[in-house]
Amino acid sequence: CFNNCDAITTPSHDLKNELINTFNIDEEKITVLPNLVDTNHFTPRYYSDNEIFTILHVGRFEKGKGVETLLDAFILLAKKYPNVHLLNIGPEQGAYLEKCKNRLSNENLLDRVTFAGFISYERLPEKYGIADLVVVPSEIYESFSYTVAQAMACGRSVIASKIGGIPETLGDGNNGLSFKPGNTEELFEKINELYIDEKKRIFLGSNARDYAVNNFSIDVLAPKYIEYYRSLLN
């Protein structure tokens, strides 16, 4: 397919480089166009409970998504702070989910974790609005993270793993924090840092919103997409 097509787009430079290195593709054939995020739908909405600190995870609840690392970090945090709560949104994954629930039960922390299951696209901004911060702990390759981009558009501070194109989605260090995939201690330290420093959470969230609007919004990207496809016709 790569050899037969005339042009390729990728949502990140990381994926572009992966394709070049893996398949020896001419780099002139590949154009980087980030994925679109509806920043008019994903907007800052604040429903946070001042007495509860909510950490949000959005995605499939499975090992490859780094949820075990997140769970380990959460357990450390929950033992330190009695008001920390973990909210998981996404399809439930059977036996693996039960294993994690059993572990939480053994730690007497099951009542401080919510497994909300699938949430519709229309209701997602409301759930981001509940969160004090969003964690994206992926341990499998992602070329672009919609969860990171959506959370940023909602003005939430984000902690994400340094894998694939996720650091590009997150942008520079002024929009969120990153950690080595699978490193429980580093993730715990990053969450703890933002738990303690509310001003930094607000600062990162505000910058994140601006970054998402300037880099992923339809208003910014639609003209670039149109220009690109017109260039192919010419």
Side-chain angles (χ1 to χ4, degrees):
C1 290
F2 290 139
N3 289 330
N4 290 332
C5 71
D6 295 306
I8 300 168
T9 66
T10 63
S12 66
H13 288 89
D14 186 84
L15 181 55
K16 176 178 179 175
N17 292 332
E18 286 288 328
L19 294 181
I20 292 170
N21 294 332
T22 304
F23 300 102
N24 196 30
I25 300 172
D26 180 0
E27 65 176 302
E28 296 299 323
K29 198 174 187 177
I30 306 175
T31 299
V32 177
L33 288 171
N35 291 332
L36 293 158
V37 174
D38 187 349
T39 55
N40 293 318
H41 178 61
F42 291 97
T43 58
R45 311 177 192 188
Y46 301 102
Y47 310 113
S48 296
D49 184 333
N50 290 331
E51 295 183 1
I52 298 175
F53 186 88
T54 301
I55 301 166
L56 174 63
H57 169 259
V58 180
R60 299 186 306 279
F61 198 83
E62 60 185 41
K63 188 173 179 62
K65 285 293 186 177
V67 293
E68 204 162 332
T69 300
L70 173 57
L71 214 59
D72 289 342
F74 169 76
I75 289 171
L76 292 174
L77 204 75
K79 290 179 177 179
K80 187 174 182 179
Y81 305 112
N83 67 330
V84 175
H85 189 89
L86 176 61
L87 171 59
N88 295 282
I89 292 175
E92 299 184 353
Q93 299 293 317
Y96 183 72
L97 177 62
E98 288 307 310
K99 172 188 172 184
C100 292
K101 284 184 175 180
N102 288 336
R103 183 166 178 220
L104 287 167
S105 181
N106 292 335
E107 296 283 353
N108 295 316
L109 293 173
L110 188 57
D111 62 338
R112 291 170 62 183
V113 179
T114 299
F115 296 93
F118 174 80
I119 297 293
S120 68
Y121 177 84
E122 288 72 21
R123 292 183 58 206
L124 269 177
E126 166 195 333
K127 298 304 179 183
Y128 283 115
I130 293 172
D132 290 284
L133 64 86
V134 179
V135 177
V136 183
S138 293
E139 294 173 19
I140 53 175
Y141 186 87
E142 293 190 33
S143 60
F144 179 95
S145 174
Y146 271 113
T147 301
V148 169
Q150 290 170 358
M152 292 172 73
C154 288
R156 312 319 280 171
S157 52
V158 179
I159 302 174
S161 57
K162 293 182 277 193
I163 191 169
I166 291 179
E168 285 182 59
T169 311
L170 191 60
D172 60 38
N174 290 320
N175 308 313
L177 304 180
S178 58
F179 72 102
K180 183 179 178 181
N183 191 319
T184 298
E185 186 62 32
E186 187 179 7
L187 176 56
F188 164 75
E189 290 172 358
K190 300 289 185 180
I191 298 175
N192 188 65
E193 177 184 351
L194 293 186
Y195 175 91
I196 294 171
D197 196 339
E198 181 182 8
K199 288 184 178 179
K200 186 166 186 176
R201 289 202 314 272
I202 294 171
F203 171 78
L204 292 175
S206 177
N207 286 354
R209 169 65 185 177
D210 292 341
Y211 187 85
V213 170
N214 292 331
N215 290 274
F216 308 132
S217 68
I218 295 171
D219 289 343
V220 168
L221 285 180
K224 294 182 180 180
Y225 270 80
I226 293 170
E227 180 184 358
Y228 171 72
Y229 289 119
R230 281 178 174 164
S231 72
L232 296 182
L233 296 176
N234 295 330

